[in-house]
Amino acid sequence: MNGKVHDAAAFIDATLQNEGSWYRADDVETRVGGALSSYGASVGAIRGTVRDAGRKFKDLDHDEVTALASLLWGQPGPGRRPVFERRLAAVVLLQSQAGLLRHTDLTRVEGFIRTARAAELVAPLIADVVMPLLAALEGKDRQRAETVIGRWHQDPDEWVRHAASLTSGNSDGNTAGTAGGNPNRSARTA
């Protein structure tokens, strides 16, 4: 990864920490069952931070965008839990740069879905990243993506299967009030 990607991740991380509040962090950590840490930044602050990072670190290409998303999705340091707001920032980044994504990025997004640990991360990944990506694909790229989605249908992970069902038209796609359409999980927002 290049220095620009690391600098952008550091900028996003520091800004999200500065925007956080302890009461919101406690609420998020309770909602996700302690699976993720939280800085307590609001959704608006997360979106604004990603927008500001895009202005500060201009013209990120495909590889830089996907590397930055992966860096934000991972642990902020050795021995530390992944952070909800960093992961949501990765989702917002991918949403804002969906036009750069390729069929090969479905594997990365699949990993994000598997490790999300929160319905409020899975729902926007499916609705605002996977669905637009699939809609933009044509020809052989579309066929390759459909092969991946077909594999998702057979996956043992419930969220991956859920993503497949939504992308294949097996659901009406209405995710309101549930975790991306899954009635077994809560989808409260941060």
Side-chain angles (χ1 to χ4, degrees):
M1 264 181 249
N2 67 34
K4 185 173 166 181
V5 170
H6 282 287
D7 291 347
F11 171 80
I12 291 170
D13 189 72
T15 304
L16 292 177
Q17 287 184 56
N18 289 336
E19 292 288 336
S21 64
W22 64 268
Y23 66 89
R24 199 177 294 118
D26 284 348
D27 180 55
V28 170
E29 288 186 25
T30 299
R31 280 197 328 263
V32 299
L36 300 171
S37 185
S38 176
Y39 294 152
S42 69
V43 172
I46 294 166
R47 290 191 178 286
T49 298
V50 171
R51 182 192 61 238
D52 293 346
R55 291 178 182 152
K56 183 174 175 121
F57 302 94
K58 296 180 189 298
D59 302 322
L60 293 176
D61 64 22
H62 169 269
D63 292 347
E64 291 167 328
V65 166
T66 56
L68 178 56
S70 291
L71 197 56
L72 291 169
W73 195 268
Q75 294 173 278
R80 294 180 58 198
R81 288 182 296 164
V83 178
F84 176 82
E85 289 82 5
R86 287 172 53 105
R87 287 187 168 191
L88 189 54
V91 173
V92 171
L93 174 68
L94 292 175
Q95 289 171 334
S96 69
Q97 299 297 321
L100 292 178
L101 300 179
R102 305 173 186 151
H103 73 279
T104 55
D105 295 317
L106 283 173
T107 303
R108 181 183 314 266
V109 174
E110 176 184 342
F112 290 173
I113 292 169
R114 277 184 200 289
T115 61
R117 300 182 184 153
E120 53 213 273
L121 294 173
V122 174
L125 274 169
I126 296 168
D128 301 328
V129 178
V130 175
M131 298 294 284
L133 170 60
L134 292 174
L137 296 174
E138 297 176 343
K140 289 191 184 272
D141 289 343
R142 177 66 186 201
Q143 290 173 339
R144 290 178 180 126
E146 287 173 0
T147 299
V148 171
I149 300 300
R151 180 176 48 77
W152 288 9
H153 279 287
Q154 306 304 317
D155 200 275
D157 185 276
E158 70 178 296
W159 286 111
V160 174
R161 287 192 316 273
H162 180 64
S165 71
L166 290 177
T167 60
S168 298
N170 294 338
S171 169
D172 64 4
N174 181 2
T175 61
T178 63
N182 183 339
N184 299 320
R185 302 240 183 145
S186 169
R188 287 180 44 195
T189 57

